[in-house]
């Protein structure tokens, strides 16, 4: 079987197309922290939730960038990582 650019971009090691996957722990933590930030909108708890949300999404993006199952997932990690850094700089 020829390993085409399409295969390297969208397929995992088992040959299945992998664009979306069930959330892993860092993504679940980011979702929960982000939802809790909607409830607790001020104070130190909100700041703590912001830090947890940022750190967990940063971790998810870093893992996708270097351990993603295909080029698409790695590019997604890079885009999220650059977006996170840019959001803190601007």
């Amino acid at each position: 079987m020829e390993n085409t650019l399409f295969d390297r971009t969208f397929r995992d090691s088992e040959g299945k197309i992998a664009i979306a996957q069930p959330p892993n722990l860092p993504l679940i933590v980011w979702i929960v922290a982000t939802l809790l930030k909607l409830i607790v909108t001020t104070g130190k708890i909100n700041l703590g939730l912001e830090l947890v949300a940022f750190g967990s999404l940063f971790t998810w993006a870093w893992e996708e960038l270097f351990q993603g199952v295909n080029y698409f997932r790695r590019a997604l990690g890079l885009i999220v990582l650059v977006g996170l850094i840019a959001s803190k700089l601007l």
Side-chain angles (χ1 to χ4, degrees), residues 1-2 6-7 22 26 29 33 35 49 51 69 73:
M1 180 176 176
E2 186 178 340
F6 178 84
D7 292 334
V29 170
L35 291 174
L49 290 169
L51 292 172
V69 296
R73 300 290 300 185

Side-chain angles (χ1 to χ4, degrees), residues 16-55:
K16 298 176 186 173
I17 292 182
I19 294 175
Q21 297 174 313
N24 55 14
L25 184 60
L27 204 52
I28 291 169
V29 170
W30 172 73
I31 292 167
V32 170
T34 301
L35 291 174
L36 287 173
K37 280 181 12 182
L38 297 173
I39 297 168
V40 181
T41 57
T42 59
K44 291 183 181 182
I45 293 175
N46 180 273
L47 178 60
L49 290 169
E50 173 68 30
L51 292 172
V52 169
F54 179 85

Side-chain angles (χ1 to χ4, degrees), residues 46-77:
N46 180 273
L47 178 60
L49 290 169
E50 173 68 30
L51 292 172
V52 169
F54 179 85
S56 59
L57 192 57
F58 186 94
T59 301
W60 175 85
W62 187 265
E63 286 179 350
E64 284 295 336
L65 178 60
F66 290 103
Q67 298 172 2
V69 296
N70 55 35
Y71 291 164
F72 176 79
R73 300 290 300 185
R74 290 176 183 217
L76 186 61

